[in-house]
Amino acid sequence: MDWTSFHTENADFTVRSSPDNVTFETKRSALLNSQFFRDMFDCCDPGNLESGITQSVHLHEPSQTLVVLLRLLHDPPNPPVEEAHEADSSVTSQLPRKYYDPSTVIPLPLITTTIFGLVEKYVLSETIIDTLWSHIAAHVATDPLQVYGFATLHGMDHIASKASQYLMPLASYRTDEVKIIPSVEAYHNLIRLQDLRAKTLKTFLLSEELFPHGYGKCSAHHIYATAAWDAQRKALAIRVDLETDIAAEMMEIQAQFEKCTQCRKAFIAAVEMLSYKSRKIPRRLDQLPAEC
C-alpha cells in the first residue's frame, strides 16, 4: 500500500489540512470507519439532508498525516500475506518463524508512530485495529525488541510473548534501545526468561552422557570417545547463552566418531537427545513459570 498519496473516486466530502492548506476529496461512507467522524456527522448534519448537509471539515493535521488516515479509512489494510519458506535443515533448534511478502506488510515504524497515534485519536474501527496488530505480529522475528516494547505497552501480551523468543541477550542491547521496554516488570520478566534458558541449556549439556548408564558402550574406544565428548561439552559450557544451539555445537566433533559404528551411533543419539531437550526449554514469556 502506498502511504504517500491519496485519491478516491465519487467523493462527496472534503477534509482539509489546516497547517498545509491542502484539501482532500473523500467519501463520507469511508469516514464512518472512525468514531470521530461518526460523532461529527451525528452532531453537525441537519435532519433534512436537502437543507445544507455538512460537506467539509478542517483538521489541524499535516497533510501527510491525513494521507495516512484517509488511506486507512478508505482502503483498510488486509492482513499480511504469508510466503512459503524452506527451513534450514542444518539448524537443529530453529525457532518457528513465519515469512511474509514484504509488499503486504506495513513498516513497523509507520504503525507504531503515525498510525497508532491516529487510531487512538480518531477511534478507528476494531476491524482495522485487529488487522494492524496482525501487521505488528509479522515483525516479531525481525524487530523483536520494538514489537515487545510496543505490544507490552498496549497490553497485547500474546504478541509480546511471541516477540520474547527472538530477543538477543538483553546485555547485548544499548541502553537507548532497551528504554523501549515500558516497565521494570516487563524488563525483569525477560531477564528471568533468558536466565532460565541459559542455565537450563548448560545443565542439559553437562548432564548428557555419551553412554548413559553404560548403554551402547564401545569396549574398544569408549575411553577415547568419552574424553572427546567431555572435552567438547565442557569447553562449550563456558560460553553457553540463551542463543546457543548446543546440539549443533556438539555436532562439530562428529568426525572424531566416524571410525567406529558403535561410537558414532552413541554420539548421534546423544546429540539428538540434546536437541530434543533444548526444544523443551521455555523460549516465550507465556511458558515462564510463575514466580514463587
Side-chain angles (χ1 to χ4, degrees):
M1 181 182 289
D2 179 13
W3 297 96
T4 61
S5 63
F6 170 77
H7 174 74
T8 189
E9 300 292 337
N10 303 316
D12 56 11
F13 192 82
T14 59
V15 176
R16 178 175 172 270
S17 165
S18 295
D20 297 335
N21 194 26
V22 175
T23 299
F24 298 93
E25 300 294 324
T26 70
K27 292 181 182 178
R28 292 168 62 94
S29 59
L31 297 179
L32 294 177
N33 283 318
S34 158
Q35 185 66 49
F36 170 89
F37 285 104
R38 290 200 300 272
D39 291 346
M40 184 193 72
F41 292 144
D42 288 344
C43 175
C44 299
D45 285 351
N48 186 350
L49 296 181
E50 296 180 356
S51 60
I53 188 170
T54 303
Q55 296 292 343
S56 66
V57 65
H58 294 193
L59 297 178
H60 195 73
E61 301 282 5
S63 58
Q64 188 52 53
T65 301
L66 283 183
V67 166
V68 175
L69 174 62
L70 296 176
R71 290 304 302 261
L72 285 170
L73 297 177
H74 287 73
D75 188 19
N78 294 314
V81 177
E82 288 188 44
E83 288 185 331
H85 190 275
E86 187 174 346
D88 185 353
S89 59
S90 66
V91 181
T92 59
S93 60
Q94 192 174 54
L95 282 170
R97 178 178 175 181
K98 295 180 179 179
Y99 292 83
Y100 299 90
D101 178 351
S103 66
T104 69
V105 181
I106 302 175
L108 187 62
L110 178 62
I111 305 178
T112 57
T113 55
T114 303
I115 289 181
F116 254 84
L118 294 170
V119 165
E120 296 174 350
K121 185 174 183 178
Y122 292 95
V123 196
L124 272 57
S125 70
E126 289 297 324
T127 300
I128 293 176
I129 294 173
D130 289 345
T131 301
L132 290 173
W133 277 111
S134 73
H135 282 265
I136 292 174
H139 292 277
V140 293
T142 53
D143 299 285
L145 183 60
Q146 291 78 6
V147 171
Y148 177 78
F150 190 78
T152 301
L153 181 64
H154 289 82
M156 299 296 286
D157 293 342
H158 67 289
I159 294 179
S161 182
K162 288 181 180 179
S164 65
Q165 65 189 312
Y166 298 100
L167 287 166
M168 298 185 297
L170 288 178
S172 66
Y173 291 103
R174 302 190 310 271
T175 301
D176 62 307
E177 291 176 319
V178 297
K179 284 182 178 179
I180 199 171
I181 300 175
S183 68
V184 172
E185 180 182 4
Y187 182 86
H188 180 62
N189 285 337
L190 290 179
I191 291 290
R192 290 179 57 223
L193 176 65
Q194 294 192 350
D195 182 64
L196 173 64
R197 181 163 183 81
K199 286 181 177 178
T200 309
L201 280 170
K202 185 174 182 178
T203 298
F204 285 165
L205 177 64
L206 292 177
S207 61
E208 190 63 38
E209 300 297 334
L210 183 62
F211 304 110
H213 308 293
Y215 179 78
K217 184 176 180 180
C218 171
S219 58
H221 310 101
H222 72 273
I223 295 178
Y224 166 81
T226 300
W229 176 264
D230 286 345
Q232 176 71 357
R233 65 175 176 169
K234 289 176 181 177
L236 177 58
I238 297 173
R239 52 187 176 85
V240 164
D241 63 28
L242 73 147
E243 294 184 302
T244 304
D245 185 340
I246 56 176
E249 295 277 358
M250 292 302 293
M251 280 296 293
E252 291 185 358
I253 61 170
Q254 181 178 1
Q256 299 183 46
F257 299 84
E258 292 298 320
K259 293 182 179 180
C260 174
T261 301
Q262 193 169 347
C263 288
R264 182 183 183 279
K265 182 178 180 180
F267 173 78
I268 294 299
V271 170
E272 288 179 347
M273 181 57 68
L274 283 176
S275 179
Y276 170 77
K277 290 181 176 179
S278 296
R279 292 194 296 272
K280 298 298 182 181
I281 304 174
R283 287 187 179 274
R284 306 188 312 268
L285 285 179
D286 58 2
Q287 299 171 325
L288 189 64
E291 288 186 292
C292 298

